[in-house]
Amino acid sequence: MTLTAIDKQLLASVADLHEIPIGAYNIRKDGEGVARQSTANIQILPKTDPNQPGIDIIVKPGTKNESVHIPVIITRTGMHDLVYNTFDIGENADVLVVAGCGIHNAGCDSSQHDGIHEILVRRGARLRYVEKHYGEGPGEGQRILNPQTILKIEEGAVAELELVQIKGVDSTRRITRAEIHDRGSLRMVEKLLTHGQQTAESVMEIFLIGKGANAQIIARSVAQDNSRQDFRASLIGQNYCRGHVECDSIIMDQAKIAASPQLRAEHIEAELTHEAAIGKIAGDQLIKLMTLGLTEKEAIDTILNGFLS
Amino acid sequence: MLELRSVSLTLGNGNGGSKEVLSQIDLTLEEGKFYAVTGPNGGGKTSLAKVIMGIYQPTAGRIYYKGEDITDLSITERSRRGITYAFQQPPRFKGVRVRDLLSIAANNSLNEKDYHCLLHDVGLCPEDYLNREIDSSLSGGEMKRIEIASLLARPAEVFIFDEPEAGVDLWTLRQLVMMIIERHHQRHITTVTITHNERFLSVADEVLLLAEGQIKERGKRDKVWPLIKDDIACQWRQRCGGEASDPDCYR
């Protein structure tokens, strides 16, 4: 496999990859798998159904401290890539999955990647899942990313998701749906920065089905220029469970943000809470950093980097 | 070192009106001296500090630093020339760690040992605090100590502390006060402390009594203290509810 300089930059941005990764990986470029490696414990298999292109990632029960990298890069303008990936994390496994998509669009047509991820975290397993989205390129063409993540967290399993979109994605519509069973736990952190004319929409539906299920959803976002964000997160408590959703946004320039955390309790022992806050950068914060020698722009960058770190 | 010539400041009062909070202040601060600025609430102490730092632009008058007219310089430019200011109520930053703030303050020149010393000096255990975020999980007293640590990290020559003692618990107050005084002597800096704390007033080379936007009196502590003693005690009682059985105020 040969990677161009653009490929390498995209891979570094979305998966912190500078070389071919250690462990299992699958690199998809412009709609095709260009490199793939399974390991003794982690199998990556292409799907056989031609109507559902993508891969199955199967982690053997009890696999510990292994990682899977499955970055997607798009460098062709006008490309519309649709992929279905299915993860099966075996019982009592403990693994890290690094997904993510980088688009370099140098042309006038839209480049789009719609990733549909179904993730099953089996009993007692632990999954850390990191997904970064990034767009770049001098073209006028839109860079569009519409990820869907559908999670099932079995008994006593733990999933920690970190979803990040910091730069260059013109339009995103993100759907996350999770079912959490007995004593299962989900912690999800979503970080988003939009600028220019970008739009971002994130819809989450988290079902706390099992006894002792636990969910913590944290969304932090920054909206700059004329960008728009719409964040809707629902927690549905159907058993003795605990859930908390928090949306915290910094608004700048002429941006518009809507944040709607929603709670739905369908069980007397469901304990659900939410917090939402939208505000601009406080003058005192800027002044404080300026008294320490930063310029106003450096102070803004420091505040935003911290907020989204 | 630092000179204010006929500096006046008028601020809006929020009701469409305005108020002169500093009135024709003439003041020269000499290199290496420790100044304590005291006086009643609303007397103009914080405004004076903010005018020096560039947070407020004076309505009239000029400010000189080492002979240079800095009246029109920004906060950043003044900071880079060697002036720094500790807030009375420091702001919080979600996601920015104590380590990050200290590093910015020190122009990224700190090694691991420096971080530890800075926090240790303000009575915070470095292991517990260095990687903490400066957010609402920190108490007012902790914020205050981190603020002071951030100033001590700064390679500045004029340090302005705005009521460093306020909000700090009694147990560590003495240590904090001593540390600011010690640093002053060690580093041969110019220190301006807005304070009601008697220890600061005692060690100050000069105490300035600021009231109604004017310097009403200046001199050693013994000259100024009798003028403000009752006033300060009275305000403290108002704040704490004025219980007659209260022990003496810590100031």
Side-chain angles (χ1 to χ4, degrees):
Chain A
M1 175 189 60
T2 49
L3 294 172
T4 66
I6 286 173
D7 296 345
K8 284 181 182 165
Q9 190 185 330
L10 289 174
L11 287 172
S13 298
V14 297
D16 293 325
L17 284 183
H18 300 281
E19 297 296 331
I20 296 298
I22 298 164
Y25 62 84
N26 184 82
I27 300 172
R28 183 181 175 88
K29 183 183 168 188
D30 295 332
E32 282 169 41
V34 292
R36 175 178 311 135
Q37 178 169 288
S38 296
T39 64
N41 294 322
I42 301 174
Q43 260 198 309
I44 303 181
L45 303 168
K47 281 191 191 294
T48 45
D49 181 352
N51 295 321
Q52 288 208 341
I55 47 175
D56 288 329
I57 295 123
I58 302 158
V59 177
K60 267 196 196 165
T63 303
K64 300 278 182 202
N65 300 322
E66 287 199 37
S67 62
V68 189
H69 285 79
I70 49 155
V72 171
I73 52 178
I74 293 177
T75 57
R76 245 173 48 208
T77 188
M79 177 84 204
H80 184 165
D81 187 24
L82 171 68
V83 66
Y84 296 83
N85 292 337
T86 307
F87 298 77
D88 185 334
I89 313 295
E91 287 187 9
N92 298 313
D94 185 345
V95 290
L96 166 70
V97 173
V98 182
C101 179
I103 298 180
H104 179 96
N105 192 349
C108 307
D109 299 324
S110 293
S111 295
Q112 179 167 347
H113 173 74
D114 297 347
I116 298 165
H117 290 176
E118 270 187 64
I119 305 173
L120 170 62
V121 190
R122 291 192 191 266
R123 201 195 298 220
R126 184 184 185 90
L127 167 70
R128 266 197 68 214
Y129 180 90
V130 181
E131 187 178 279
K132 287 187 186 165
H133 285 165
Y134 170 72
E136 59 168 35
E140 299 268 301
Q142 293 252 309
R143 299 176 292 256
I144 303 168
L145 285 168
N146 294 330
Q148 275 188 44
T149 309
I150 297 155
L151 270 163
K152 185 177 176 195
I153 300 167
E154 286 192 352
E155 225 176 290
V158 177
E160 286 176 34
L161 275 66
E162 189 181 333
L163 312 167
V164 183
Q165 179 184 309
I166 298 299
K167 224 181 144 190
V169 179
D170 293 306
S171 161
T172 190
R173 184 159 197 274
R174 187 189 279 283
I175 296 173
T176 310
R177 200 165 179 276
E179 274 181 19
I180 310 169
H181 294 267
D182 286 1
R183 292 176 287 102
S185 167
L186 169 67
R187 182 184 150 86
M188 192 158 115
V189 180
E190 187 180 70
K191 296 169 193 171
L192 190 67
L193 182 142
T194 53
H195 54 100
Q197 303 292 329
Q198 297 174 352
T199 59
E201 191 183 341
S202 179
V203 180
M204 298 179 188
E205 266 190 321
I206 314 295
F207 292 86
L208 294 133
I209 294 173
K211 192 172 178 184
N214 189 318
Q216 194 185 4
I217 313 300
I218 297 164
R220 283 200 175 172
S221 73
V222 176
Q224 301 177 320
D225 307 323
N226 282 309
S227 65
R228 282 162 173 261
Q229 295 179 4
D230 188 0
F231 179 86
R232 280 170 281 151
S234 304
L235 287 179
I236 301 108
Q238 299 178 331
N239 208 324
Y240 166 80
C241 64
R242 262 186 189 200
H244 179 70
V245 55
E246 193 177 310
C247 344
D248 206 341
S249 302
I250 293 179
I251 185 165
M252 300 171 73
D253 312 312
Q254 284 78 47
K256 292 191 170 72
I257 303 176
S260 336
Q262 196 193 43
L263 308 177
R264 227 162 73 203
E266 298 172 2
H267 191 280
I268 188 141
E269 298 283 3
E271 199 179 308
L272 306 174
T273 51
H274 74 69
E275 279 173 60
I278 302 173
K280 62 176 182 180
I281 294 174
D284 260 13
Q285 292 180 317
L286 291 176
I287 291 171
K288 171 65 204 169
L289 295 177
M290 287 158 73
T291 64
L292 298 179
L294 298 190
T295 62
E296 188 172 345
K297 180 161 186 321
E298 288 166 343
I300 291 171
D301 288 347
T302 300
I303 292 164
L304 298 185
N305 283 337
F307 186 71
L308 294 173
S309 67
Chain B
M1 185 82 177
L2 190 75
E3 193 185 346
L4 280 72
R5 284 191 208 154
S6 303
V7 166
S8 296
L9 175 70
T10 302
L11 293 175
N13 62 8
N15 302 325
S18 61
K19 190 190 170 205
E20 188 173 55
V21 290
L22 294 176
S23 177
Q24 301 256 323
I25 302 252
D26 283 305
L27 175 67
T28 303
L29 302 176
E30 291 173 33
E31 194 179 334
K33 288 207 166 167
F34 194 109
Y35 296 89
V37 180
T38 194
N41 288 345
K45 303 187 295 296
T46 296
S47 298
L48 178 70
K50 289 187 171 177
V51 158
I52 294 174
M53 190 69 239
I55 298 169
Y56 292 154
Q57 267 301 311
T59 331
R62 307 303 294 177
I63 303 168
Y64 298 87
Y65 178 60
K66 292 181 173 176
E68 180 192 11
D69 186 341
I70 60 164
T71 320
D72 301 320
L73 294 189
S74 68
I75 302 169
T76 309
E77 287 166 315
R78 292 184 204 203
S79 174
R80 289 179 179 176
R81 277 169 175 68
I83 303 172
T84 194
Y85 168 65
F87 282 46
Q88 190 174 350
Q89 287 174 320
R92 291 176 157 84
F93 299 90
K94 277 180 192 165
V96 176
R97 297 169 305 165
V98 173
R99 175 192 291 276
D100 305 326
L101 190 75
L102 296 180
S103 175
I104 292 167
N107 301 334
N108 308 315
S109 68
L110 298 180
N111 62 35
E112 214 50 32
K113 191 169 164 244
D114 297 331
Y115 285 116
H116 280 70
C117 290
L118 281 165
L119 286 183
H120 194 263
D121 282 350
V122 292
L124 296 175
C125 174
E127 284 75 15
D128 291 343
Y129 285 91
L130 207 41
N131 293 319
R132 284 267 301 267
E133 291 184 15
I134 309 171
D135 60 14
S136 53
S137 71
L138 294 170
S139 73
E142 289 168 327
M143 286 297 301
K144 204 73 186 191
R145 287 189 245 178
I146 290 163
E147 179 74 358
I148 291 166
S150 78
L151 244 69
L152 296 176
R154 187 118 189 96
E157 291 172 63
V158 176
F159 288 76
I160 308 167
F161 294 95
D162 198 343
E163 294 205 31
E165 72 273 20
V168 174
D169 64 80
L170 279 176
W171 310 112
T172 44
L173 177 70
R174 190 188 153 85
Q175 184 200 355
L176 214 57
V177 170
M178 290 311 294
M179 209 255 324
I180 290 176
I181 294 166
E182 256 174 44
R183 282 303 168 96
H184 170 79
H185 291 301
Q186 280 166 7
R187 288 162 64 170
H188 197 68
I189 51 184
T190 306
T191 306
V192 181
T193 305
I194 296 171
T195 187
H196 301 296
N197 180 278
E198 222 194 322
R199 191 175 300 271
F200 279 132
L201 298 178
S202 301
V203 301
D205 293 307
E206 197 166 10
V207 178
L208 308 172
L209 172 60
L210 201 64
E212 296 162 341
Q214 293 177 324
I215 297 170
K216 298 283 187 189
E217 190 61 76
R218 54 192 297 180
K220 294 296 279 183
R221 176 244 182 220
D222 292 344
K223 186 173 165 194
V224 179
W225 181 248
L227 301 171
I228 57 170
K229 194 169 143 246
D230 294 342
D231 187 34
I232 285 169
C234 174
Q235 281 176 17
W236 174 246
R237 256 185 241 117
Q238 272 173 8
R239 266 200 246 170
C240 72
E243 288 291 328
S245 61
D246 266 0
D248 281 347
C249 133
Y250 69 83
R251 286 168 176 151

